[in-house]
Structures are given as C-alpha cells and as structure tokens.
Amino acid sequence: MNYKNWYALSINMNKEKSAKSQLLARKAVMKDENLQEVEYLQRKEIVVDKGGRRKIANRLLMSGYLLVQVKPEVVTHEDGTTSTRFPGDTFKLITETPGIKFFVNCDQDKPIPFRPREIKKLFEMCEDANLEEELNSDVDFSVGEILEVVQGPFKGYDIEVISITGDKILGQLDMFGRTVPAEFTKFQVFKK
C-alpha cells in the first residue's frame, strides 16, 4: 500500500459512510483522476453483549474524519524545473462535497499531507492482527490456572481458578492484601 499523499478531512459527526459515498459519486461524475482513495478507519474490538457472549465489532478509529489520498499535480515552470502541488479541481471537488467541512491541516488552501509513517501507523492499528484479545469460547480452563479478567468490575486483575461449574468459574484474586473469592463467566476471563 502507498502511504504517501494522504490528507485528513473534517466531516459531520457519524456521517463517514455517507460522506465517503458522496465524495466517490462526485469523483465519478467529475471524472477526477487525482483523487485515489477515500477511507474512514475502523478498528476491530471484542465486545461482550448482554448475554455474556463475545463478538468482534468494528469501531471507528477517528470519528468525524475521512482520509483521502490525492495524486499531486506536476507543474512545469518556464525555466524547465518541475514541482508538485495539490490539484485545484480536486480541492474544489472535495471541499464542495456535502458533509465535508474542510481539510484538517491546510495552509492557505494548500492541504498538508500526513507523513507516510503516521498514516502507516493508523492503517496498522486497523488490521486484524492488532486484535489484542482472543476469543475463549472453545478454551477449557482447569483448576489452579491463572487467568486475566477482561470484563466486569475486576477487569485487569489476575485470578486463580478454584472450581469450574458449567460456564461459571469460581476464582480468587488478591485485592488490598487479601484473597477475595469471585465468580466469573468464561467470557470474562482469558488464558495468558
């Protein structure tokens, strides 16, 4: 993937999908060839529903923003040298799209792109490989194991499994210098 020439756009809150589709539709109508990509970033997270089941959900990484990749326009000067600039027609196309407010980093109508390493880091945060927690639906726990609590009031604590009854795990944790018993579901803990 090319991480050069990416720009951030400020848009109306919770309108990422509609702003993206409108911008792409306007691009097609105007036959603009400089606008390369339009993205809004989503990160995969594990959420626990009311029934205690874990599932993967997409969460917006930057709500209220779109990222666009624009190919710069090459300008040839009278002395034969060349330079690049943001294409004026593409600038107008983007800023006149409904729902898009303006470029986030702009100097007198000259948008300033992200550094390639910054945009690469943003995209890497949204890859499946960065899903930090694992699903434990098929994992068997045994008495004496040390597990980490990932949901509930004891989130972040380590517990030692005392007994297992069905989906319920009775564990003990050290809190304020005391051993405290607590009951968990298999969705609230995971093996280290």
Side-chain angles (χ1 to χ4, degrees), residues 9-57:
L9 303 172
S10 177
I11 63 171
N12 293 333
M13 290 298 288
N14 300 321
K15 299 293 182 188
E16 290 80 12
K17 285 183 184 178
S18 65
K20 178 181 178 177
S21 63
Q22 287 184 21
L23 184 57
L24 291 174
R26 285 177 49 89
K27 172 190 176 196
V29 169
M30 305 286 244
K31 296 183 173 98
D32 185 278
E33 295 186 12
N34 293 316
L35 181 60
Q36 304 291 305
E37 302 261 349
V38 180
E39 294 293 334
Y40 56 92
L41 299 178
Q42 294 184 348
R43 175 176 50 204
K44 295 186 184 302
E45 292 181 354
I46 294 178
V47 294
V48 178
D49 64 11
K50 291 181 181 179
R53 292 180 302 273
R54 289 186 186 188
K55 59 182 180 178
I56 297 174

Coordinates of all heavy atoms in Angstrom, one line a residue, residues 9-57:
L9 N -9.8 14.9 6.4 CA -10.9 15.8 6.2 C -11.7 15.8 7.4 O -12.1 14.8 7.9 CB -11.7 15.4 5.0 CG -11.0 15.3 3.6 CD1 -12.0 14.6 2.6 CD2 -10.6 16.6 3.1
S10 N -12.2 17.0 7.8 CA -13.1 17.1 8.9 C -14.5 17.0 8.3 O -14.8 17.7 7.3 CB -12.9 18.4 9.6 OG -13.9 18.6 10.6
I11 N -15.4 16.1 8.8 CA -16.7 15.9 8.3 C -17.7 16.0 9.4 O -17.4 16.0 10.6 CB -16.8 14.6 7.5 CG1 -16.6 13.4 8.5 CG2 -15.9 14.5 6.4 CD1 -16.9 12.1 7.9
N12 N -19.0 16.0 9.0 CA -20.1 15.9 10.1 C -20.0 14.6 10.8 O -19.7 13.6 10.3 CB -21.4 16.1 9.4 CG -21.6 17.4 8.8 OD1 -21.1 18.4 9.2 ND2 -22.5 17.5 7.8
M13 N -20.2 14.7 12.2 CA -20.1 13.5 13.0 C -21.0 12.4 12.6 O -22.2 12.7 12.2 CB -20.4 13.9 14.5 CG -19.4 14.8 15.1 SD -17.7 14.0 15.2 CE -18.0 12.8 16.5
N14 N -20.5 11.2 12.6 CA -21.3 10.0 12.3 C -21.8 10.0 10.9 O -22.8 9.3 10.6 CB -22.4 9.8 13.3 CG -21.9 9.6 14.7 OD1 -20.9 9.0 15.0 ND2 -22.6 10.2 15.7
K15 N -21.2 10.6 10.0 CA -21.5 10.7 8.6 C -20.4 10.1 7.7 O -20.3 10.5 6.5 CB -21.9 12.1 8.2 CG -23.1 12.7 8.9 CD -24.4 11.9 8.6 CE -25.5 12.5 9.3 NZ -26.7 11.7 9.2
E16 N -19.6 9.3 8.2 CA -18.4 8.8 7.5 C -18.9 8.0 6.2 O -18.3 8.3 5.1 CB -17.6 7.8 8.4 CG -16.9 8.5 9.5 CD -17.7 8.8 10.7 OE1 -18.8 8.3 10.8 OE2 -17.3 9.6 11.6
K17 N -19.8 7.1 6.3 CA -20.3 6.3 5.2 C -20.9 7.2 4.1 O -20.6 7.1 2.9 CB -21.3 5.3 5.6 CG -20.7 4.1 6.3 CD -21.7 3.0 6.6 CE -21.1 1.9 7.4 NZ -22.1 0.9 7.7
S18 N -21.8 8.1 4.5 CA -22.5 8.9 3.5 C -21.5 9.9 2.9 O -21.6 10.2 1.7 CB -23.6 9.7 4.1 OG -23.2 10.6 5.1
A19 N -20.6 10.5 3.7 CA -19.6 11.5 3.1 C -18.7 10.7 2.1 O -18.4 11.3 1.0 CB -18.8 12.1 4.2
K20 N -18.3 9.5 2.4 CA -17.4 8.7 1.5 C -18.2 8.4 0.2 O -17.6 8.6 -0.9 CB -17.0 7.4 2.2 CG -16.1 6.6 1.3 CD -15.7 5.3 2.0 CE -14.9 4.4 1.0 NZ -14.5 3.2 1.7
S21 N -19.4 8.0 0.3 CA -20.2 7.6 -0.9 C -20.4 8.9 -1.7 O -20.4 8.8 -3.0 CB -21.4 6.9 -0.5 OG -22.3 7.7 0.2
Q22 N -20.7 10.0 -1.1 CA -21.0 11.2 -1.9 C -19.7 11.7 -2.6 O -19.8 12.1 -3.7 CB -21.5 12.3 -1.0 CG -23.0 12.1 -0.6 CD -23.5 13.2 0.3 OE1 -23.0 14.3 0.2 NE2 -24.6 12.9 1.0
L23 N -18.6 11.6 -1.9 CA -17.3 12.0 -2.5 C -17.0 11.1 -3.7 O -16.6 11.6 -4.7 CB -16.2 12.1 -1.4 CG -14.9 12.6 -1.9 CD1 -15.0 14.0 -2.5 CD2 -13.9 12.6 -0.7
L24 N -17.1 9.8 -3.5 CA -16.8 8.9 -4.6 C -17.8 9.1 -5.8 O -17.4 9.0 -7.0 CB -16.9 7.5 -4.1 CG -15.7 7.1 -3.2 CD1 -15.9 5.7 -2.6 CD2 -14.4 7.2 -3.9
A25 N -19.1 9.4 -5.5 CA -20.0 9.7 -6.6 C -19.7 11.0 -7.3 O -19.7 11.0 -8.6 CB -21.4 9.8 -6.0
R26 N -19.3 12.0 -6.6 CA -18.9 13.2 -7.3 C -17.6 13.0 -8.1 O -17.5 13.6 -9.1 CB -18.7 14.3 -6.2 CG -20.0 14.9 -5.7 CD -19.8 16.0 -4.6 NE -18.8 17.0 -4.9 CZ -19.1 18.1 -5.6 NH1 -20.3 18.4 -5.9 NH2 -18.2 19.0 -5.8
K27 N -16.7 12.2 -7.6 CA -15.5 11.9 -8.3 C -15.8 11.3 -9.6 O -15.3 11.6 -10.7 CB -14.6 11.0 -7.5 CG -13.4 10.5 -8.2 CD -12.7 9.3 -7.5 CE -11.6 8.8 -8.3 NZ -10.9 8.0 -8.5
A28 N -16.8 10.3 -9.6 CA -17.2 9.7 -10.9 C -17.8 10.6 -11.8 O -17.5 10.6 -13.0 CB -18.1 8.5 -10.5
V29 N -18.7 11.5 -11.3 CA -19.4 12.5 -12.2 C -18.4 13.5 -12.8 O -18.4 13.8 -14.0 CB -20.5 13.2 -11.4 CG1 -21.0 14.4 -12.2 CG2 -21.6 12.3 -11.1
M30 N -17.4 13.9 -12.0 CA -16.5 15.0 -12.4 C -15.3 14.3 -13.2 O -14.5 15.0 -13.7 CB -15.9 15.7 -11.2 CG -17.0 16.4 -10.4 SD -17.7 17.8 -11.2 CE -17.2 19.1 -10.1
K31 N -15.2 13.0 -13.2 CA -14.1 12.2 -13.8 C -12.8 12.7 -13.3 O -11.8 12.9 -14.1 CB -14.3 12.4 -15.4 CG -15.5 11.7 -15.9 CD -15.6 11.8 -17.4 CE -16.7 11.0 -17.9 NZ -17.9 11.7 -18.2
D32 N -12.7 12.9 -12.0 CA -11.4 13.3 -11.4 C -10.5 12.1 -11.3 O -10.9 11.0 -10.8 CB -11.7 13.9 -10.0 CG -10.5 14.4 -9.4 OD1 -9.7 13.7 -8.8 OD2 -10.3 15.7 -9.5
E33 N -9.3 12.2 -11.7 CA -8.3 11.1 -11.7 C -7.3 11.3 -10.6 O -6.4 10.4 -10.4 CB -7.7 10.9 -13.1 CG -8.7 10.5 -14.1 CD -8.0 10.2 -15.4 OE1 -6.8 10.0 -15.5 OE2 -8.8 10.0 -16.4
N34 N -7.3 12.5 -9.9 CA -6.3 12.7 -8.9 C -6.7 12.2 -7.5 O -5.8 11.8 -6.7 CB -6.0 14.2 -8.8 CG -5.3 14.7 -10.0 OD1 -4.4 14.1 -10.5 ND2 -5.8 15.9 -10.5
L35 N -8.0 12.1 -7.3 CA -8.5 11.5 -6.0 C -8.3 10.0 -6.1 O -9.1 9.3 -6.9 CB -9.9 11.9 -5.8 CG -10.6 11.4 -4.5 CD1 -9.8 11.9 -3.3 CD2 -12.0 11.9 -4.4
Q36 N -7.4 9.4 -5.4 CA -7.1 8.0 -5.5 C -7.9 7.1 -4.6 O -8.5 6.2 -5.0 CB -5.6 7.8 -5.2 CG -4.6 8.6 -6.0 CD -4.6 8.1 -7.5 OE1 -4.4 6.9 -7.7 NE2 -4.9 9.0 -8.4
E37 N -7.9 7.5 -3.3 CA -8.6 6.6 -2.3 C -9.4 7.5 -1.3 O -9.0 8.6 -1.0 CB -7.6 5.8 -1.4 CG -6.7 4.9 -2.2 CD -7.1 3.5 -2.2 OE1 -8.0 3.2 -1.4 OE2 -6.6 2.7 -3.0
V38 N -10.5 7.0 -0.7 CA -11.2 7.6 0.3 C -11.5 6.5 1.4 O -12.0 5.5 1.1 CB -12.6 8.2 -0.2 CG1 -13.4 8.8 0.9 CG2 -12.3 9.1 -1.4
E39 N -11.1 6.8 2.6 CA -11.2 5.8 3.7 C -11.7 6.5 5.0 O -11.3 7.6 5.3 CB -9.9 5.1 4.0 CG -9.4 4.2 2.8 CD -10.3 3.0 2.6 OE1 -10.9 2.5 3.5 OE2 -10.2 2.6 1.4
Y40 N -12.4 5.7 5.8 CA -12.6 6.0 7.2 C -12.1 4.8 7.9 O -12.4 3.7 7.5 CB -14.0 6.4 7.5 CG -15.1 5.4 7.2 CD1 -15.5 4.5 8.1 CD2 -15.7 5.5 5.9 CE1 -16.5 3.6 7.7 CE2 -16.7 4.6 5.6 CZ -17.1 3.6 6.5 OH -18.1 2.7 6.2
L41 N -11.4 5.0 9.0 CA -10.7 3.9 9.7 C -11.6 3.2 10.7 O -12.2 3.9 11.6 CB -9.4 4.4 10.3 CG -8.4 5.0 9.3 CD1 -7.2 5.5 10.0 CD2 -8.0 3.9 8.2
Q42 N -11.6 1.9 10.7 CA -12.3 1.1 11.7 C -11.4 0.1 12.3 O -10.6 -0.5 11.6 CB -13.5 0.4 11.1 CG -14.6 1.3 10.5 CD -15.7 0.5 10.0 OE1 -15.7 -0.7 9.8 NE2 -16.8 1.2 9.8
R43 N -11.4 0.0 13.6 CA -10.6 -0.9 14.4 C -11.5 -2.0 14.9 O -12.6 -1.8 15.3 CB -10.0 -0.2 15.5 CG -9.2 -1.1 16.4 CD -8.5 -0.3 17.5 NE -9.4 0.6 18.2 CZ -9.0 1.7 18.8 NH1 -7.7 2.0 18.8 NH2 -9.8 2.5 19.4
K44 N -11.1 -3.3 14.8 CA -11.8 -4.4 15.3 C -11.6 -4.5 16.8 O -10.5 -4.5 17.3 CB -11.4 -5.7 14.6 CG -11.8 -5.7 13.1 CD -11.5 -7.0 12.5 CE -11.8 -7.0 11.0 NZ -13.1 -6.7 10.6
E45 N -12.7 -4.6 17.6 CA -12.6 -4.8 19.0 C -13.5 -5.9 19.4 O -14.5 -6.2 18.8 CB -13.1 -3.5 19.7 CG -12.1 -2.4 19.5 CD -12.6 -1.1 20.3 OE1 -13.7 -1.1 20.9 OE2 -11.9 -0.1 20.3
I46 N -13.2 -6.5 20.6 CA -14.1 -7.6 21.1 C -15.0 -6.9 22.1 O -14.6 -6.1 23.0 CB -13.3 -8.7 21.8 CG1 -12.4 -9.4 20.8 CG2 -14.2 -9.6 22.6 CD1 -11.6 -10.5 21.4
V47 N -16.3 -7.2 21.9 CA -17.3 -6.6 22.8 C -18.1 -7.8 23.4 O -18.2 -8.8 22.8 CB -18.3 -5.6 22.1 CG1 -17.5 -4.4 21.6 CG2 -19.0 -6.3 20.9
V48 N -18.6 -7.6 24.6 CA -19.4 -8.6 25.3 C -20.9 -8.1 25.3 O -21.2 -7.0 25.7 CB -18.9 -8.8 26.7 CG1 -19.8 -9.8 27.4 CG2 -17.5 -9.2 26.7
D49 N -21.8 -8.9 24.7 CA -23.2 -8.5 24.6 C -23.8 -8.8 26.0 O -23.2 -9.3 26.9 CB -23.9 -9.1 23.5 CG -24.0 -10.7 23.6 OD1 -23.7 -11.2 24.6 OD2 -24.4 -11.3 22.6
K50 N -25.1 -8.5 26.1 CA -25.9 -8.6 27.3 C -25.9 -10.1 27.8 O -26.0 -10.3 29.0 CB -27.3 -8.1 27.2 CG -27.3 -6.6 27.1 CD -28.7 -6.1 26.9 CE -28.7 -4.6 26.8 NZ -30.0 -4.0 26.6
G51 N -25.8 -11.0 26.9 CA -25.9 -12.4 27.2 C -24.5 -13.0 27.7 O -24.4 -14.1 28.0
G52 N -23.5 -12.1 27.7 CA -22.2 -12.5 28.1 C -21.3 -13.1 27.0 O -20.2 -13.6 27.2
R53 N -21.8 -13.1 25.7 CA -21.1 -13.6 24.6 C -20.2 -12.6 24.0 O -20.5 -11.4 23.9 CB -22.0 -14.2 23.5 CG -22.8 -15.4 24.0 CD -23.8 -15.8 22.9 NE -24.7 -14.8 22.5 CZ -25.9 -14.6 23.1 NH1 -26.3 -15.3 24.1 NH2 -26.7 -13.6 22.6
R54 N -19.0 -13.0 23.6 CA -18.0 -12.1 23.0 C -18.2 -12.1 21.5 O -18.5 -13.2 20.9 CB -16.6 -12.5 23.3 CG -16.2 -12.3 24.7 CD -14.7 -12.6 24.8 NE -14.4 -12.5 26.2 CZ -13.2 -12.6 26.6 NH1 -12.2 -12.8 25.8 NH2 -12.9 -12.5 27.9
K55 N -18.1 -11.0 20.9 CA -18.1 -10.9 19.4 C -17.2 -9.8 19.0 O -16.9 -8.9 19.8 CB -19.5 -10.8 18.9 CG -20.3 -9.5 19.4 CD -21.7 -9.5 18.9 CE -22.4 -8.3 19.4 NZ -23.7 -8.2 18.9
I56 N -16.9 -9.8 17.7 CA -16.0 -8.8 17.2 C -16.8 -7.7 16.6 O -17.8 -8.0 15.8 CB -15.0 -9.4 16.1 CG1 -14.1 -10.4 16.8 CG2 -14.2 -8.3 15.5 CD1 -13.2 -11.2 15.9
A57 N -16.6 -6.4 16.9 CA -17.3 -5.3 16.4 C -16.3 -4.3 15.8 O -15.2 -4.2 16.3 CB -18.1 -4.6 17.5

